[in-house]
Amino acid sequence: MGTLTEAEAGPTFDRFFDSMESLADTISESLQSQVTIEDSNHHVIGYSSHQFESDPARISTIIGKQVPNTVIIGLRKKGIMHQLEHTAHPIRIPAVMEVGLGPRLAMCIKHQQEILGYIWVVDRGNLADGYAEGIVEKAAGIAGRYLLKQRGWKNRQDKALEDFFWKLLTSHYDNEPRIRQEAESWSILLPESYYIGVIESEQTIDESFALRLRQTIDAYGGQRLLFMTAEHNRLILLFSFVFQVDGAGILSSFMNRLLADMSRSAGGGLAAGCSPGYKEYISAATAYREALSVLEIKKLLPYHARSLMLYDELGFWAFIPDIIERKRSRTRSSALLEPVKAHDREHKSDFLKTIAVYLTLDGNLKEAAAFLHIHTNTLMYRLNRIAELTGRSLKETDYRTSVYLDLLTEETAQVNGWFQERGSGSAAISP
């Protein structure tokens, strides 16, 4: 490869560049071709303003301010990204027309072994060998220094924003004006309303998971992720909707879609809880506790609370942890359950499990019988026998509600054990 002489380079690169736009324009003027500069995540940080013919990949990149995933995937499949990222000098890339990319001269911008970004120059056959490579290589050095400086500033800002978020979550501020004043000092535009969501993983949250989540939300459109922070196996989000949200349907749809998409990339093992919407940021700590309470209930009763995600939809489930705590301080167990438990001990029967299954499955005889692997007639016999033992019918709303709550809060471990069987396969039904 030929080297760039001082005369060829000219004085245009020996000056301060206040933006990547001006650097891209300078490269473009030198090479008479279109130029795009990206960061390590393929977000566009500068592109030349000169008008030449362009290909679909560049048009999509400029419009979306980011290289489309299809282009990156296509380049990776052909090994081009690997070659680019493991070469210290600019390389010529042939056209990859299946992703709309014409020929390019490209270079990976690096600091030591760390990838900082990329420079792409459209090759219309007018790029002189050696000279063009020299221009791009010199520009990569300038872009690298700019990106390192920006990263240092971004790291400081990210740390300050994370501290601000944790202060919101831990009731550090004593009034709303103080919150808004600090937000303004960091140029944070606080949305009119917001939600706090918590995603919990079976494993420790790492940077790649957090990055995937941010990219996933960005790809949806219609949402704004303002803050995100990780704590062990939890990722805590403060987000808003670009448009006004009425009712819980859109929020539920967004959270379920996000959890499903992230579960696929993480291989499952995720749970989520989300607060209602708030306008006052002094309420962020309350919103955080509400999101955590959803996760607490899902841990206490995984099967029963499996579909719960929004605090606004918890209903009586919100009080289950408090009921369990109060019951722990009592020495006596439920008088309503005692006759059934005594019968089970004496006759080695499954009446307590029968009640739990019957009530959990909304009193559906067919489903409950199938779950218990018994005939519906057998289930009817058991329910009638339970009514004789207790002197009460499970058709009575107050009685069935009290029994159900006692089961969930006093026999929690047993109930969870019974419902681990759910979905494990069908068995023959007894006559």
Side-chain angles (χ1 to χ4, degrees):
M1 181 188 299
T3 56
L4 180 70
T5 68
E6 188 173 336
E8 288 174 322
T12 52
F13 288 94
D14 298 329
R15 64 182 180 84
F16 173 73
F17 289 89
D18 60 352
S19 73
M20 290 297 93
E21 298 284 352
S22 60
L23 178 61
D25 277 339
T26 301
I27 303 169
S28 179
E29 287 170 9
S30 299
L31 301 180
Q32 289 300 294
S33 195
Q34 293 174 319
V35 177
T36 307
I37 306 174
E38 306 161 9
D39 66 14
S40 58
N41 294 317
H42 301 287
H43 292 105
V44 175
I45 58 173
Y47 62 94
S48 57
S49 56
H50 291 74
Q51 299 298 313
F52 303 104
E53 283 187 29
S54 195
D55 52 43
R58 187 170 192 271
I59 293 170
S60 298
T61 297
I62 300 304
I63 291 173
K65 298 294 184 183
Q66 183 174 1
V67 182
N69 282 336
T70 53
V71 175
I72 299 300
I73 292 168
L75 293 175
R76 289 208 179 277
K77 282 182 177 178
K78 289 187 173 291
I80 292 171
M81 291 305 298
H82 182 271
Q83 181 188 0
L84 182 62
E85 291 167 355
H86 290 79
T87 306
H89 304 288
I91 62 172
R92 304 258 175 168
I93 297 172
V96 185
M97 295 317 296
E98 56 262 45
V99 296
L101 185 85
R104 294 285 194 274
L105 173 64
M107 183 170 179
C108 183
I109 306 165
K110 288 185 177 181
H111 173 66
Q112 297 173 349
Q113 296 303 311
E114 182 186 358
I115 295 172
L116 300 177
Y118 307 85
I119 295 178
W120 303 84
V121 181
V122 173
D123 186 355
R124 298 180 294 117
N126 64 324
L127 302 180
D129 258 351
Y131 174 74
E133 280 83 353
I135 289 286
V136 170
E137 196 159 351
K138 188 159 190 177
I142 296 169
R145 290 191 290 275
Y146 176 90
L147 285 165
L148 281 172
K149 184 178 178 182
Q150 288 296 105
R151 188 182 65 177
W153 174 83
K154 187 175 185 298
N155 286 344
R156 288 194 300 275
Q157 188 189 46
D158 286 350
K159 179 66 169 63
L161 295 185
E162 189 171 30
D163 287 346
F164 176 65
F165 188 26
W166 273 113
K167 287 177 183 177
L168 290 178
L169 297 176
T170 54
S171 301
H172 174 83
Y173 300 102
D174 52 13
N175 60 71
E176 189 75 9
R178 188 180 167 202
I179 292 172
R180 297 190 177 272
Q181 183 180 13
E182 183 155 342
E184 188 177 344
S185 71
W186 284 102
S187 302
I188 303 169
L189 181 61
L190 295 175
E192 184 181 341
S193 62
Y194 67 94
Y195 303 83
I196 288 183
V198 180
I199 293 179
E200 191 168 81
S201 171
E202 292 175 351
Q203 301 174 344
T204 302
I205 298 289
D206 58 18
E207 287 185 13
S208 64
F209 182 91
L211 177 61
R212 283 199 306 275
L213 183 133
R214 186 179 291 279
Q215 291 172 338
T216 301
I217 294 178
D218 286 346
Y220 291 166
Q223 293 83 30
R224 178 188 172 202
L225 179 59
L226 187 64
F227 298 115
M228 178 172 65
T229 188
E231 183 185 33
H232 305 303
N233 66 329
R234 287 175 180 161
L235 203 59
I236 307 158
L237 324 170
L238 189 151
F239 64 93
S240 65
F241 290 91
V242 174
F243 47 86
Q244 186 173 352
V245 174
D246 294 319
I250 293 174
L251 177 61
S252 178
S253 176
F254 164 68
M255 288 299 297
N256 278 289
R257 181 184 177 191
L258 180 62
L259 192 65
D261 288 345
M262 293 306 298
S263 292
R264 276 193 291 272
S265 65
L270 300 181
C274 186
S275 75
Y278 283 92
K279 293 183 181 293
E280 300 294 325
Y281 285 80
I282 197 78
S283 301
T286 299
Y288 179 41
R289 287 193 297 270
E290 288 170 342
L292 289 178
S293 69
V294 178
L295 290 168
E296 182 184 4
I297 293 158
K298 292 173 82 71
K299 281 182 184 175
L300 281 172
L301 292 155
Y303 176 79
H304 294 75
R306 66 195 180 283
S307 62
L308 295 176
M309 192 174 296
L310 308 186
Y311 184 82
D312 268 349
E313 296 179 343
L314 287 187
F316 79 89
W317 294 102
F319 304 102
I320 292 290
D322 291 336
I323 295 172
I324 290 175
E325 195 58 38
R326 288 188 65 180
K327 282 180 175 286
R328 280 178 182 159
S329 64
R330 294 173 53 187
T331 55
R332 295 178 59 185
S333 58
S334 169
L336 297 176
L337 298 179
E338 188 50 43
V340 182
K341 291 165 73 173
H343 185 277
D344 282 351
R345 286 193 299 268
E346 185 177 348
H347 300 280
K348 301 192 184 307
S349 56
D350 278 334
F351 283 8
L352 199 67
K353 180 179 179 180
T354 299
I355 296 174
V357 170
Y358 175 72
L359 293 180
T360 296
L361 300 181
D362 304 320
N364 187 305
L365 289 171
K366 187 176 179 181
E367 283 191 30
F371 184 98
L372 294 164
H373 313 313
I374 59 176
H375 197 279
T376 50
N377 289 343
T378 306
L379 176 57
M380 287 294 295
Y381 167 78
R382 288 187 185 181
L383 294 175
N384 289 331
R385 188 74 184 92
I386 289 166
E388 290 173 6
L389 285 169
T390 60
R392 302 288 297 272
S393 169
L394 289 172
K395 292 180 181 179
E396 300 172 37
T397 302
D398 62 337
Y399 175 64
R400 71 189 288 157
T401 303
S402 299
V403 166
Y404 191 47
L405 286 173
D406 281 349
L407 273 167
L408 295 178
T409 56
E410 290 191 23
E411 307 296 329
T412 311
Q414 260 202 112
V415 168
N416 286 335
W418 291 330
F419 282 90
Q420 282 179 354
E421 304 167 16
R422 183 71 168 162
S424 61
S426 58
I429 296 178
S430 307

